[in-house]
Amino acid sequence: LIILIANYSFNNNHNNTDKVIVHATNYLCNFYSKNNEIESPIIILNGSNDIYLDKGSNYIELGAKAIDNCSGDISNNIKTEGKVNTNKEGVYKVKYKIVDDNNNINITERNIYVREKKEEKGIIYLTFDDGPSKSITPYILDILNKEDIKATFFVINHPSDTDYLLKKINEEGHTIGLHSYSHNYSYIYSSIDNYFNDLNLIKEKVYNLTGVNSNIIRFPGGTSNLVSKKYTSGIMSKLIEEVSKYEYIYYDWNIESNDSGGVNSSEEVYNNVINNLSLDKINMVLLHDYENNYYTLEALPQIIRYAKDNGYIFKNINNDTIQIKHAPNN
Ligand code: ZN
């Protein structure tokens, strides 16, 4: 009983939990007979239990931890079985097996889904970053609704009087992507931890308001941004690996409207978009619904008219959408 209490109190205020538990339980194991120990070791997978991969990509084995009540950390004894062929569609299982000193066994599996994303041509993905804002987003939603078009909103944190807009975006069938909570480059790109702390905040906010557990993300500034170099050299190359470990799918764009700076009229926004559309590719258009994006709002109906008249189809991003990616510059 004393040992259990000791465990409990250490457990709650210490990072070295494993060590403490192992220490205390070893004592228990020695106190009784080690041979009678019948408890199986536990296995904790590093990374997710389900991993989704595009055909042709790389599978990175993240391994697992194994802790036994008598033998302690026996992660090095885990036997990993199973092959993942990322060149063939299918569901692959990787098995993690651990046996402790008294032959107590535990097995855990991880599912790896390899999927081929279909080539899509003449599709337009309208993506709106940095919203939702009261001055722009409701009107964009009205236009999309009227035109029967679904789009994607890469949202950031705004005051709570915009919460209804997050809900509305979701209720009207659009995709909510995660952009950033703070959109503060100096914070998020100062370390990997900061990046994930910020991402988790916006993920939680979206989840709490809409019930949507989004894994679709867009890096502030895009994957190719140079601004992050000021804060951490090489962070973008690292982040694209890290986010993939946690099932996030990141999307950049291949058509830039320049609506977040550089344009002086709605005609410019319109031209920047339609002059770069092609029926032979996926068209992922970067737009913004931040509070001052009036040119975007004005240009949107004309962009949609042009696209519909010329045979384009609009879609919102989902987990099966082919990634449009920039190469990292940092
Ligand atoms: Zn942004």
Side-chain angles (χ1 to χ4, degrees):
L1 186 66
I2 291 160
I3 288 158
L4 288 176
I5 291 166
N7 261 352
Y8 179 77
S9 60
F10 277 112
N11 218 341
N12 276 308
N13 58 17
H14 215 277
N15 284 335
N16 266 339
T17 312
D18 289 355
K19 231 186 225 162
V20 175
I21 290 174
V22 168
H23 209 80
T25 47
N26 268 347
Y27 181 76
L28 251 188
C29 290
N30 292 331
F31 188 74
Y32 297 107
S33 164
K34 213 169 180 179
N35 299 326
N36 294 332
E37 195 255 325
I38 52 160
E39 219 170 294
S40 294
I42 55 165
I43 302 181
I44 304 156
L45 296 185
N46 300 327
S48 295
N49 289 31
D50 296 297
I51 290 185
Y52 298 90
L53 293 175
D54 290 349
K55 193 175 153 182
S57 62
N58 289 329
Y59 172 64
I60 303 164
E61 178 52 61
L62 296 172
K65 286 189 195 62
I67 308 286
D68 183 60
N69 65 326
C70 282
S71 311
D73 185 340
I74 47 174
S75 305
N76 290 337
N77 300 340
I78 293 177
K79 298 250 182 312
T80 307
E81 275 174 37
K83 282 208 163 63
V84 180
N85 181 359
T86 58
N87 291 318
K88 198 167 174 265
E89 271 190 283
V91 186
Y92 299 88
K93 286 186 188 299
V94 175
K95 253 190 203 176
Y96 302 84
K97 185 178 175 186
I98 186 72
V99 183
D100 72 9
D101 294 339
N102 292 308
N103 280 325
N104 301 309
I105 298 174
N106 197 2
I107 297 172
T108 298
E109 284 181 344
R110 194 196 311 265
N111 296 312
I112 290 92
Y113 300 86
V114 176
R115 304 172 304 174
E116 182 163 28
K117 292 184 174 176
K118 302 280 174 292
E119 187 67 31
E120 293 173 309
K121 288 179 177 173
I123 307 284
I124 297 177
Y125 291 93
L126 296 176
T127 67
F128 297 93
D129 287 15
D130 300 352
S133 66
K134 285 202 290 184
S135 53
I136 303 293
T137 312
Y139 306 100
I140 286 182
L141 288 173
D142 284 349
I143 295 166
L144 296 174
N145 200 15
K146 199 173 130 214
E147 297 281 357
D148 196 19
I149 285 172
K150 302 298 179 217
T152 303
F153 293 80
F154 287 99
V155 300
I156 65 173
N157 181 48
H158 283 284
S160 57
D161 61 355
T162 62
D163 286 356
Y164 80 100
L165 288 167
L166 273 182
K167 293 181 189 166
K168 198 159 191 265
I169 290 168
N170 177 51
E171 281 161 11
E172 296 186 358
H174 305 291
T175 298
I176 300 182
L178 310 174
H179 193 35
S180 171
Y181 190 84
S182 66
H183 210 296
N184 179 348
Y185 293 123
S186 68
Y187 174 71
I188 57 174
Y189 293 142
S190 283
S191 71
I192 302 276
D193 280 352
N194 283 8
Y195 175 80
F196 276 101
N197 287 340
D198 175 89
L199 181 64
N200 284 333
L201 283 176
I202 191 66
K203 186 184 177 80
E204 273 171 32
K205 179 171 181 175
V206 168
Y207 180 75
N208 290 337
L209 286 170
T210 67
V212 174
N213 194 8
S214 180
N215 66 337
I216 290 167
I217 64 172
R218 173 171 284 160
F219 295 111
T223 310
S224 56
N225 80 77
L226 284 167
V227 65
S228 58
K229 213 170 200 154
K230 271 205 280 191
Y231 307 108
T232 310
S233 174
I235 194 167
M236 296 315 300
S237 305
K238 194 95 181 54
L239 278 176
I240 59 176
E241 278 181 27
E242 289 295 316
V243 297
S244 305
K245 283 184 194 169
Y246 300 99
E247 286 184 54
Y248 289 109
I249 312 174
Y250 65 94
Y251 289 88
D252 291 300
W253 56 87
N254 55 15
I255 297 183
E256 199 154 358
S257 66
N258 273 323
D259 65 346
S260 65
V263 293
N264 293 305
S265 67
S266 58
E267 287 75 30
E268 282 180 64
V269 175
Y270 172 80
N271 286 324
N272 287 340
V273 175
I274 68 140
N275 290 338
N276 290 295
L277 290 175
S278 166
L279 287 166
D280 293 323
K281 67 171 188 189
I282 296 171
N283 302 276
M284 198 159 284
V285 185
L286 174 62
L287 298 156
H288 292 81
D289 60 334
Y290 194 66
E291 57 199 28
N292 58 359
N293 287 116
Y294 291 100
Y295 296 144
T296 309
L297 185 56
E298 274 172 48
L300 188 60
Q302 277 88 338
I303 292 170
I304 293 170
R305 177 60 31 226
Y306 174 91
K308 283 187 170 177
D309 287 348
N310 288 279
Y312 291 91
I313 289 170
F314 289 89
K315 282 191 181 180
N316 50 333
I317 295 175
N318 64 36
N319 284 354
D320 289 324
T321 304
I322 295 179
Q323 268 175 296
I324 299 294
K325 304 191 246 189
H326 296 168
N329 288 316
N330 172 33

